[in-house]
Amino acid sequence: MAVDSQQAGARPSAASWWYDPKVRSVAFQVAFVLALIGLGAYLIHNTIINLEKRNIKTGFDFLFNPAGFEIPLTLIPYSVEAGSTHGAVFIVGLLNTLLISALGIVLATILGFILGVLRLSNNWLVSKLVGVYIESVRNVPLLLHFLFWHFAVFQSLPLVRKAIPIFDTVYIHNRGLTMPKPIPQPGFVVVLISFFVAIAAIAYLKKWARRRQDATGEQFPVFWASLGVLIGVPLLVSAATGFPLTWEYAELGRFRFTGGLEIQIELFASLAALTVYTSSFIAEIVRAGILAVSRGQREASYSLGVRPGPTLRLVIIPQALRVIVPPLVSQFLNLTKNSSLGIAIGYPDLFNVFGGISLNQTGQAIEIIAMCMVVYLTFSLLISLYMNWYNRRISLVER
Amino acid sequence: MSDIAKNPDRSFVRTENIPEAPPPISTAGVAGWMRANLFSSPANTALTLLTFYLLYLVVPPLFEWAFIDSLLEGESNKDCRGIEGACWVLIPKRFGQYIYGFYPEPERWRVNLTFILFCLNLLPVLSDRVPGRTFAALFLVFGFPIVAFVLLHGAFGLESVPTHKWGGLTLTLVFASVAILFSLPIGVLLALGRRSEMPVIRTICIAFIELWRSVPLITVLFMASFMLPLFTPEGVNANELLRALIGFIMFASAYMAEVVRGGLQALPKGQTEAAMALGLNYWKSMQLIILPQALKIVIPGIVNTFIALFKDTALVSIIGLFDLLLVARSAVTDPKWLGLEHESYIFAALIYFIFCFSMSRYSLWLERKLDTGHRN
């Protein structure tokens, strides 16, 4: 064998170098990259010519030019009169996207877990009914959900002047929901600070309770204590500072409300569509996760004398989460991406206000679409970083 | 035993089995089923009753709305006055538009013929009871698109129907089928590239896949309709449908690639090594050994991706292609049909549902059928 290979080494050019897999692989990769660069150069060349011909400016200067349009929902100060720029439009849109995604994620998770557990109910009627519901929701395009909720459901609510009052403070009508507007008074910052202090205290409490249980075996009612701290501390502080938050009530005029805070119908329609659609997917994920925990786990837990409640909480759910969380998080990402469909009904999210209106005004398609893509790309990278971290943390440690 | 046999004066002991008694009435038949599935515990009984009450609240009024109090024939929304239920009048009047868009009426038989041919072609591919699967599949990929193009767009003496007249369900189906047809092979190539040992190819494929997967489809469609015209040389102006299709195919093939990658990863390494040991080169081993097995594993996943893509085609209505959803949407902006949003959207939803639901049932059936030989 050794002699053979030495002899083979003595005649290096017997097989053509072209058949060497290494050479081939390098050659192929170089060719591929060259082709790609060529294609890119060709496209860029075309683009430059086209941009010159259509007189479209390039660069990001437009971000500092004033944007001449109003946005119905803004979380930061924004107004046309003050000369807010396209850069501000970008921020406003981004915040609106984050707002609807955060609300949607919370609601869809809650609804999805409820549906998923009901789907597994041993009550035949409930399980079948939830099954029918899930199937009919998820087999219809999300965009149709958006349009249906907006045009068929919310817009058929009564007109503003016939708004449905709830305790004469909140009004529901076909333009949205009018509620009292909170107006913070000077001492309000203190209350806000106390709220965050309460959250920090809860985190500490949880740690302390865990340490104590590890040391002594005694349990501490963390949940109720936390709830008490979370509500009690800010309440006490605001009582001490003389309730520094006042409400401005809405007055119903002849055709519209004066004062108060109006939340647009588009927010509710988008939220309803995203929640209902995504929760049907989450329900299936939850069901699969619970089914993935083997029966023996539950039986073992019962035979140790653990009651059904703690069994579910301490044995089943932690193991099911291992299966549930990865697809669940990718549903969260989907929901965030899907919130861009708000453009169809006019919810002012990033893609609607920046990719839609700003693009039409400035014509700078490349910069604007690239910026939108970078935002979504960032979301997705953050989520996958988190997923990798989570998977490493919970992966089974086997001996 | 022997003790008893020796002592005949002991009391009676049965020596043969008594005949089997029927199960207690409370565990058999309808009553037993209901007891086990609906009323097994007080909480369950309460839940059942509550559900029945909810059904009672929802179903009869819905039924009355949709069927009993509804109106099917009429000229415009004026006929709907005084109708308490659904006013379906616009569906029969606009039915042609829901299905064909603005396809000229005398030419609509061509769409029907295409659809029938498509179904006939698909039948042997979907079911193994009809012979000729391989030939049908090959024709579906290489022959049928040409036939469909000739029939739909017109050539050889058929009157030409430009794509901007296509619409409704026809457009949705054409769009989805073309996207699926192209995204599957591109997806397979991308998946192979992602698992390639060549670092440059692998990096490019990963970047491509992750880029398209992380942006919303609507961004991709906007890009296709606003940026593609900037990329093409002067004078070349791709039509709107084609531009949207290019964007959609890029997007779809990235998703397809991830599904196929799942199949490739599920195969044991020994398969590749065995193929190499037999002296097969890369493409031969992929074609003969790896892909047939990998694709078989992920067929249900591929069908699920088809469903998602089919639903996603609805987004092209945002960039102004006249698909089923845009027909449903614009039908109710006509003053003649104002206020019939419920009916129009429900009808469109029903069509989407029929297609998606049958695909998902097929995928389940396939999963059960293909799930052989892995359990034991």
mmCIF file of all heavy atoms in Angstrom, chain A residues 255-293:
data_model
loop_
_atom_site.group_PDB
_atom_site.id
_atom_site.type_symbol
_atom_site.label_atom_id
_atom_site.label_comp_id
_atom_site.label_asym_id
_atom_site.label_seq_id
_atom_site.Cartn_x
_atom_site.Cartn_y
_atom_site.Cartn_z
ATOM 1 N N PHE A 255 -70.760 66.260 15.765
ATOM 2 C CA PHE A 255 -70.302 65.203 14.868
ATOM 3 C C PHE A 255 -69.087 64.451 15.377
ATOM 4 O O PHE A 255 -68.783 63.383 14.933
ATOM 5 C CB PHE A 255 -69.968 65.773 13.485
ATOM 6 C CG PHE A 255 -71.193 66.192 12.754
ATOM 7 C CD1 PHE A 255 -71.454 67.526 12.510
ATOM 8 C CD2 PHE A 255 -72.102 65.237 12.324
ATOM 9 C CE1 PHE A 255 -72.589 67.896 11.838
ATOM 10 C CE2 PHE A 255 -73.247 65.617 11.652
ATOM 11 C CZ PHE A 255 -73.489 66.952 11.412
ATOM 12 N N ARG A 256 -68.348 65.085 16.287
ATOM 13 C CA ARG A 256 -67.162 64.382 16.750
ATOM 14 C C ARG A 256 -66.878 64.723 18.197
ATOM 15 O O ARG A 256 -67.513 65.602 18.772
ATOM 16 C CB ARG A 256 -65.963 64.704 15.866
ATOM 17 C CG ARG A 256 -65.694 66.176 15.765
ATOM 18 C CD ARG A 256 -64.748 66.431 14.605
ATOM 19 N NE ARG A 256 -64.386 67.826 14.595
ATOM 20 C CZ ARG A 256 -63.143 68.273 14.693
ATOM 21 N NH1 ARG A 256 -62.155 67.433 14.812
ATOM 22 N NH2 ARG A 256 -62.893 69.553 14.676
ATOM 23 N N PHE A 257 -65.876 64.020 18.729
ATOM 24 C CA PHE A 257 -65.522 64.235 20.115
ATOM 25 C C PHE A 257 -64.527 65.368 20.218
ATOM 26 O O PHE A 257 -63.693 65.573 19.343
ATOM 27 C CB PHE A 257 -64.899 62.968 20.693
ATOM 28 C CG PHE A 257 -65.897 61.886 20.926
ATOM 29 C CD1 PHE A 257 -66.098 60.910 19.972
ATOM 30 C CD2 PHE A 257 -66.636 61.866 22.085
ATOM 31 C CE1 PHE A 257 -67.026 59.919 20.185
ATOM 32 C CE2 PHE A 257 -67.558 60.871 22.305
ATOM 33 C CZ PHE A 257 -67.755 59.902 21.353
ATOM 34 N N THR A 258 -64.631 66.126 21.305
ATOM 35 C CA THR A 258 -63.559 67.067 21.595
ATOM 36 C C THR A 258 -62.869 66.564 22.854
ATOM 37 O O THR A 258 -63.510 66.075 23.780
ATOM 38 C CB THR A 258 -64.114 68.486 21.831
ATOM 39 O OG1 THR A 258 -65.215 68.361 22.747
ATOM 40 C CG2 THR A 258 -64.573 69.106 20.550
ATOM 41 N N GLY A 259 -61.551 66.705 22.863
ATOM 42 C CA GLY A 259 -60.790 66.215 24.003
ATOM 43 C C GLY A 259 -60.728 64.710 24.014
ATOM 44 O O GLY A 259 -61.189 64.034 23.087
ATOM 45 N N GLY A 260 -60.150 64.185 25.067
ATOM 46 C CA GLY A 260 -60.037 62.739 25.170
ATOM 47 C C GLY A 260 -59.000 62.192 24.225
ATOM 48 O O GLY A 260 -58.307 62.926 23.515
ATOM 49 N N LEU A 261 -58.885 60.901 24.261
ATOM 50 C CA LEU A 261 -57.868 60.231 23.452
ATOM 51 C C LEU A 261 -58.592 59.302 22.499
ATOM 52 O O LEU A 261 -59.391 58.479 22.918
ATOM 53 C CB LEU A 261 -56.936 59.443 24.370
ATOM 54 C CG LEU A 261 -55.757 58.760 23.735
ATOM 55 C CD1 LEU A 261 -54.777 59.791 23.231
ATOM 56 C CD2 LEU A 261 -55.084 57.863 24.757
ATOM 57 N N GLU A 262 -58.329 59.470 21.192
ATOM 58 C CA GLU A 262 -58.994 58.582 20.245
ATOM 59 C C GLU A 262 -58.002 57.563 19.717
ATOM 60 O O GLU A 262 -56.946 57.935 19.222
ATOM 61 C CB GLU A 262 -59.608 59.388 19.103
ATOM 62 C CG GLU A 262 -60.470 58.508 18.221
ATOM 63 C CD GLU A 262 -61.237 59.310 17.175
ATOM 64 O OE1 GLU A 262 -62.056 60.146 17.572
ATOM 65 O OE2 GLU A 262 -60.985 59.094 15.987
ATOM 66 N N ILE A 263 -58.342 56.309 19.858
ATOM 67 C CA ILE A 263 -57.500 55.259 19.299
ATOM 68 C C ILE A 263 -58.158 54.783 18.005
ATOM 69 O O ILE A 263 -59.325 54.401 18.005
ATOM 70 C CB ILE A 263 -57.346 54.095 20.285
ATOM 71 C CG1 ILE A 263 -56.775 54.624 21.601
ATOM 72 C CG2 ILE A 263 -56.422 53.043 19.713
ATOM 73 C CD1 ILE A 263 -56.728 53.605 22.689
ATOM 74 N N GLN A 264 -57.383 54.850 16.912
ATOM 75 C CA GLN A 264 -57.972 54.602 15.601
ATOM 76 C C GLN A 264 -58.429 53.168 15.419
ATOM 77 O O GLN A 264 -57.877 52.235 15.978
ATOM 78 C CB GLN A 264 -56.966 54.937 14.502
ATOM 79 C CG GLN A 264 -57.007 56.374 14.057
ATOM 80 C CD GLN A 264 -56.362 57.270 15.076
ATOM 81 O OE1 GLN A 264 -55.540 56.804 15.850
ATOM 82 N NE2 GLN A 264 -56.749 58.524 15.087
ATOM 83 N N ILE A 265 -59.440 53.048 14.576
ATOM 84 C CA ILE A 265 -60.014 51.741 14.276
ATOM 85 C C ILE A 265 -58.987 50.823 13.630
ATOM 86 O O ILE A 265 -59.024 49.614 13.814
ATOM 87 C CB ILE A 265 -61.239 51.947 13.350
ATOM 88 C CG1 ILE A 265 -62.198 50.790 13.482
ATOM 89 C CG2 ILE A 265 -60.869 52.118 11.907
ATOM 90 C CD1 ILE A 265 -63.025 50.896 14.687
ATOM 91 N N GLU A 266 -58.041 51.414 12.878
ATOM 92 C CA GLU A 266 -57.060 50.584 12.158
ATOM 93 C C GLU A 266 -56.232 49.756 13.132
ATOM 94 O O GLU A 266 -55.877 48.615 12.837
ATOM 95 C CB GLU A 266 -56.124 51.451 11.310
ATOM 96 C CG GLU A 266 -56.773 52.067 10.090
ATOM 97 C CD GLU A 266 -57.559 53.318 10.412
ATOM 98 O OE1 GLU A 266 -57.368 53.869 11.516
ATOM 99 O OE2 GLU A 266 -58.383 53.730 9.577
ATOM 100 N N LEU A 267 -55.942 50.357 14.287
ATOM 101 C CA LEU A 267 -55.171 49.614 15.287
ATOM 102 C C LEU A 267 -55.936 48.377 15.732
ATOM 103 O O LEU A 267 -55.395 47.275 15.795
ATOM 104 C CB LEU A 267 -54.864 50.509 16.490
ATOM 105 C CG LEU A 267 -54.125 49.834 17.630
ATOM 106 C CD1 LEU A 267 -52.699 49.526 17.229
ATOM 107 C CD2 LEU A 267 -54.130 50.685 18.868
ATOM 108 N N PHE A 268 -57.233 48.568 16.006
ATOM 109 C CA PHE A 268 -58.030 47.439 16.486
ATOM 110 C C PHE A 268 -58.212 46.389 15.400
ATOM 111 O O PHE A 268 -58.145 45.192 15.664
ATOM 112 C CB PHE A 268 -59.389 47.927 16.983
ATOM 113 C CG PHE A 268 -59.289 48.762 18.210
ATOM 114 C CD1 PHE A 268 -59.509 50.115 18.157
ATOM 115 C CD2 PHE A 268 -58.949 48.184 19.412
ATOM 116 C CE1 PHE A 268 -59.394 50.887 19.287
ATOM 117 C CE2 PHE A 268 -58.829 48.943 20.553
ATOM 118 C CZ PHE A 268 -59.052 50.302 20.484
ATOM 119 N N ALA A 269 -58.448 46.862 14.169
ATOM 120 C CA ALA A 269 -58.656 45.900 13.080
ATOM 121 C C ALA A 269 -57.390 45.084 12.839
ATOM 122 O O ALA A 269 -57.446 43.852 12.729
ATOM 123 C CB ALA A 269 -59.076 46.632 11.811
ATOM 124 N N SER A 270 -56.236 45.774 12.789
ATOM 125 C CA SER A 270 -54.977 45.048 12.580
ATOM 126 C C SER A 270 -54.733 44.075 13.713
ATOM 127 O O SER A 270 -54.346 42.927 13.500
ATOM 128 C CB SER A 270 -53.797 46.007 12.510
ATOM 129 O OG SER A 270 -54.014 46.977 11.558
ATOM 130 N N LEU A 271 -54.983 44.568 14.922
ATOM 131 C CA LEU A 271 -54.733 43.750 16.098
ATOM 132 C C LEU A 271 -55.619 42.506 16.080
ATOM 133 O O LEU A 271 -55.147 41.388 16.326
ATOM 134 C CB LEU A 271 -55.016 44.589 17.343
ATOM 135 C CG LEU A 271 -54.423 44.079 18.634
ATOM 136 C CD1 LEU A 271 -52.927 43.949 18.483
ATOM 137 C CD2 LEU A 271 -54.757 45.033 19.761
ATOM 138 N N ALA A 272 -56.912 42.713 15.753
ATOM 139 C CA ALA A 272 -57.829 41.573 15.726
ATOM 140 C C ALA A 272 -57.375 40.571 14.679
ATOM 141 O O ALA A 272 -57.309 39.362 14.950
ATOM 142 C CB ALA A 272 -59.243 42.053 15.430
ATOM 143 N N ALA A 273 -57.043 41.056 13.482
ATOM 144 C CA ALA A 273 -56.652 40.140 12.413
ATOM 145 C C ALA A 273 -55.398 39.373 12.785
ATOM 146 O O ALA A 273 -55.352 38.142 12.681
ATOM 147 C CB ALA A 273 -56.433 40.923 11.120
ATOM 148 N N LEU A 274 -54.384 40.099 13.262
ATOM 149 C CA LEU A 274 -53.116 39.439 13.601
ATOM 150 C C LEU A 274 -53.314 38.440 14.735
ATOM 151 O O LEU A 274 -52.782 37.326 14.697
ATOM 152 C CB LEU A 274 -52.075 40.482 14.015
ATOM 153 C CG LEU A 274 -51.474 41.302 12.888
ATOM 154 C CD1 LEU A 274 -50.637 42.431 13.453
ATOM 155 C CD2 LEU A 274 -50.618 40.437 11.993
ATOM 156 N N THR A 275 -54.091 38.841 15.751
ATOM 157 C CA THR A 275 -54.285 37.971 16.904
ATOM 158 C C THR A 275 -55.005 36.693 16.517
ATOM 159 O O THR A 275 -54.562 35.594 16.828
ATOM 160 C CB THR A 275 -55.087 38.704 17.983
ATOM 161 O OG1 THR A 275 -54.413 39.900 18.292
ATOM 162 C CG2 THR A 275 -55.226 37.868 19.211
ATOM 163 N N VAL A 276 -56.119 36.862 15.809
ATOM 164 C CA VAL A 276 -56.928 35.688 15.476
ATOM 165 C C VAL A 276 -56.143 34.739 14.584
ATOM 166 O O VAL A 276 -56.093 33.527 14.818
ATOM 167 C CB VAL A 276 -58.239 36.143 14.790
ATOM 168 C CG1 VAL A 276 -58.926 34.980 14.133
ATOM 169 C CG2 VAL A 276 -59.146 36.796 15.803
ATOM 170 N N TYR A 277 -55.480 35.300 13.575
ATOM 171 C CA TYR A 277 -54.755 34.460 12.617
ATOM 172 C C TYR A 277 -53.584 33.752 13.303
ATOM 173 O O TYR A 277 -53.436 32.538 13.218
ATOM 174 C CB TYR A 277 -54.264 35.335 11.475
ATOM 175 C CG TYR A 277 -53.599 34.609 10.334
ATOM 176 C CD1 TYR A 277 -54.350 33.929 9.398
ATOM 177 C CD2 TYR A 277 -52.221 34.622 10.188
ATOM 178 C CE1 TYR A 277 -53.757 33.281 8.345
ATOM 179 C CE2 TYR A 277 -51.617 33.969 9.136
ATOM 180 C CZ TYR A 277 -52.388 33.301 8.211
ATOM 181 O OH TYR A 277 -51.779 32.672 7.178
ATOM 182 N N THR A 278 -52.753 34.524 14.006
ATOM 183 C CA THR A 278 -51.558 33.931 14.602
ATOM 184 C C THR A 278 -51.920 32.955 15.715
ATOM 185 O O THR A 278 -51.257 31.932 15.893
ATOM 186 C CB THR A 278 -50.634 35.026 15.149
ATOM 187 O OG1 THR A 278 -50.503 36.032 14.162
ATOM 188 C CG2 THR A 278 -49.277 34.486 15.481
ATOM 189 N N SER A 279 -52.994 33.270 16.476
ATOM 190 C CA SER A 279 -53.321 32.390 17.595
ATOM 191 C C SER A 279 -53.715 31.004 17.101
ATOM 192 O O SER A 279 -53.496 30.021 17.792
ATOM 193 C CB SER A 279 -54.434 32.989 18.441
ATOM 194 O OG SER A 279 -55.621 33.027 17.708
ATOM 195 N N SER A 280 -54.272 30.921 15.892
ATOM 196 C CA SER A 280 -54.642 29.594 15.402
ATOM 197 C C SER A 280 -53.389 28.769 15.131
ATOM 198 O O SER A 280 -53.396 27.553 15.290
ATOM 199 C CB SER A 280 -55.511 29.703 14.155
ATOM 200 O OG SER A 280 -54.741 30.093 13.059
ATOM 201 N N PHE A 281 -52.306 29.439 14.725
ATOM 202 C CA PHE A 281 -51.056 28.700 14.525
ATOM 203 C C PHE A 281 -50.426 28.343 15.875
ATOM 204 O O PHE A 281 -49.910 27.252 16.059
ATOM 205 C CB PHE A 281 -50.080 29.524 13.681
ATOM 206 C CG PHE A 281 -50.475 29.588 12.239
ATOM 207 C CD1 PHE A 281 -51.340 30.559 11.794
ATOM 208 C CD2 PHE A 281 -50.007 28.655 11.340
ATOM 209 C CE1 PHE A 281 -51.727 30.602 10.467
ATOM 210 C CE2 PHE A 281 -50.375 28.698 10.016
ATOM 211 C CZ PHE A 281 -51.243 29.668 9.576
ATOM 212 N N ILE A 282 -50.487 29.313 16.812
ATOM 213 C CA ILE A 282 -49.907 29.060 18.130
ATOM 214 C C ILE A 282 -50.643 27.900 18.809
ATOM 215 O O ILE A 282 -50.030 27.062 19.474
ATOM 216 C CB ILE A 282 -49.957 30.342 18.988
ATOM 217 C CG1 ILE A 282 -48.994 31.375 18.386
ATOM 218 C CG2 ILE A 282 -49.583 30.055 20.427
ATOM 219 C CD1 ILE A 282 -48.950 32.672 19.130
ATOM 220 N N ALA A 283 -51.971 27.839 18.615
ATOM 221 C CA ALA A 283 -52.745 26.765 19.225
ATOM 222 C C ALA A 283 -52.223 25.399 18.785
ATOM 223 O O ALA A 283 -52.063 24.492 19.602
ATOM 224 C CB ALA A 283 -54.218 26.909 18.863
ATOM 225 N N GLU A 284 -51.944 25.273 17.493
ATOM 226 C CA GLU A 284 -51.436 23.997 16.997
ATOM 227 C C GLU A 284 -50.057 23.694 17.570
ATOM 228 O O GLU A 284 -49.726 22.552 17.867
ATOM 229 C CB GLU A 284 -51.362 24.012 15.466
ATOM 230 C CG GLU A 284 -52.721 24.031 14.806
ATOM 231 C CD GLU A 284 -53.447 22.708 14.980
ATOM 232 O OE1 GLU A 284 -53.167 21.767 14.244
ATOM 233 O OE2 GLU A 284 -54.302 22.617 15.895
ATOM 234 N N ILE A 285 -49.237 24.749 17.730
ATOM 235 C CA ILE A 285 -47.899 24.556 18.294
ATOM 236 C C ILE A 285 -48.003 24.076 19.744
ATOM 237 O O ILE A 285 -47.315 23.147 20.165
ATOM 238 C CB ILE A 285 -47.103 25.871 18.215
ATOM 239 C CG1 ILE A 285 -46.779 26.197 16.762
ATOM 240 C CG2 ILE A 285 -45.831 25.786 19.024
ATOM 241 C CD1 ILE A 285 -46.198 27.572 16.569
ATOM 242 N N VAL A 286 -48.902 24.718 20.495
ATOM 243 C CA VAL A 286 -49.076 24.348 21.901
ATOM 244 C C VAL A 286 -49.563 22.913 22.014
ATOM 245 O O VAL A 286 -49.075 22.118 22.818
ATOM 246 C CB VAL A 286 -50.070 25.324 22.578
ATOM 247 C CG1 VAL A 286 -50.481 24.810 23.937
ATOM 248 C CG2 VAL A 286 -49.454 26.689 22.686
ATOM 249 N N ARG A 287 -50.521 22.576 21.158
ATOM 250 C CA ARG A 287 -51.056 21.212 21.181
ATOM 251 C C ARG A 287 -49.948 20.205 20.907
ATOM 252 O O ARG A 287 -49.776 19.224 21.640
ATOM 253 C CB ARG A 287 -52.144 21.082 20.118
ATOM 254 C CG ARG A 287 -52.780 19.735 20.070
ATOM 255 C CD ARG A 287 -53.963 19.770 19.161
ATOM 256 N NE ARG A 287 -53.563 19.628 17.782
ATOM 257 C CZ ARG A 287 -53.806 18.521 17.073
ATOM 258 N NH1 ARG A 287 -54.450 17.537 17.625
ATOM 259 N NH2 ARG A 287 -53.428 18.434 15.827
ATOM 260 N N ALA A 288 -49.156 20.480 19.864
ATOM 261 C CA ALA A 288 -48.081 19.552 19.532
ATOM 262 C C ALA A 288 -47.088 19.459 20.686
ATOM 263 O O ALA A 288 -46.595 18.370 21.010
ATOM 264 C CB ALA A 288 -47.369 20.011 18.265
ATOM 265 N N GLY A 289 -46.814 20.593 21.339
ATOM 266 C CA GLY A 289 -45.853 20.593 22.430
ATOM 267 C C GLY A 289 -46.318 19.764 23.598
ATOM 268 O O GLY A 289 -45.552 18.977 24.171
ATOM 269 N N ILE A 290 -47.601 19.894 23.947
ATOM 270 C CA ILE A 290 -48.107 19.138 25.087
ATOM 271 C C ILE A 290 -48.153 17.648 24.750
ATOM 272 O O ILE A 290 -47.823 16.795 25.573
ATOM 273 C CB ILE A 290 -49.491 19.668 25.517
ATOM 274 C CG1 ILE A 290 -49.327 21.088 26.064
ATOM 275 C CG2 ILE A 290 -50.113 18.773 26.556
ATOM 276 C CD1 ILE A 290 -50.602 21.746 26.472
ATOM 277 N N LEU A 291 -48.542 17.349 23.499
ATOM 278 C CA LEU A 291 -48.596 15.942 23.103
ATOM 279 C C LEU A 291 -47.204 15.318 23.064
ATOM 280 O O LEU A 291 -47.054 14.110 23.184
ATOM 281 C CB LEU A 291 -49.240 15.808 21.718
ATOM 282 C CG LEU A 291 -50.751 15.958 21.655
ATOM 283 C CD1 LEU A 291 -51.238 15.815 20.235
ATOM 284 C CD2 LEU A 291 -51.425 14.926 22.550
ATOM 285 N N ALA A 292 -46.161 16.175 22.900
ATOM 286 C CA ALA A 292 -44.812 15.640 22.776
ATOM 287 C C ALA A 292 -44.255 15.176 24.120
ATOM 288 O O ALA A 292 -43.289 14.420 24.151
ATOM 289 C CB ALA A 292 -43.891 16.681 22.163
ATOM 290 N N VAL A 293 -44.863 15.645 25.219
ATOM 291 C CA VAL A 293 -44.406 15.178 26.529
ATOM 292 C C VAL A 293 -44.992 13.792 26.754
ATOM 293 O O VAL A 293 -46.209 13.607 26.642
ATOM 294 C CB VAL A 293 -44.882 16.136 27.639
ATOM 295 C CG1 VAL A 293 -44.443 15.625 28.992
ATOM 296 C CG2 VAL A 293 -44.344 17.514 27.394
#
